[in-house]
Amino acid sequence: MHVWVEVRLSAVRVDLQSNTPVLLLTETEGVGRTLPIFIGAPEATAIAFAIQGVAPPRPMTHDLLRDIVETLGASLERVRDHRAPLRPPTTPSST
């Protein structure tokens, strides 16, 4: 049985050990578990631009996909990742 957990983007950071950008998705209800997703630098830049309201000089791939979905009169309601279990928050005593 699957239990779906709603998450929101809580941060875009750089993992200091690997120097790799990482998205932090935090559940909206419950104990505040976080799902880290390691991404590429171009994706991190695109997300940071979108959060800050900065328009890129030309449309990016995800912008084109959004425009197609909107032109078709559709919308994206949710994204489901069947592979990614959320882990409980870590505390100094649990590591």
Side-chain angles (χ1 to χ4, degrees):
M1 179 176 123
H2 293 287
V3 175
W4 299 107
V5 177
E6 182 176 332
V7 296
R8 298 275 186 229
L9 175 64
S10 58
V12 180
R13 303 244 169 92
V14 174
D15 179 68
L16 297 177
Q17 291 180 341
S18 64
N19 199 32
T20 303
V22 60
L23 288 180
L24 298 177
L25 302 178
T26 303
E27 65 183 344
T28 57
E29 297 179 11
V31 296
R33 296 175 295 177
T34 299
L35 175 65
I37 300 178
F38 289 84
I39 60 174
E43 293 80 12
T45 301
I47 292 168
F49 279 0
I51 290 170
Q52 297 169 6
V54 175
R58 59 185 173 86
M60 300 182 79
T61 303
H62 60 273
D63 296 321
L64 297 173
L65 180 57
R66 178 203 60 221
D67 293 346
I68 290 170
V69 170
E70 288 177 356
T71 299
L72 293 172
S75 64
L76 181 65
E77 293 180 8
R78 75 186 110 222
V79 176
R80 293 184 175 180
D81 187 342
H82 299 270
R83 306 162 294 144
L86 287 171
R87 294 185 177 88
T90 57
T91 60
S93 60
S94 67
T95 54

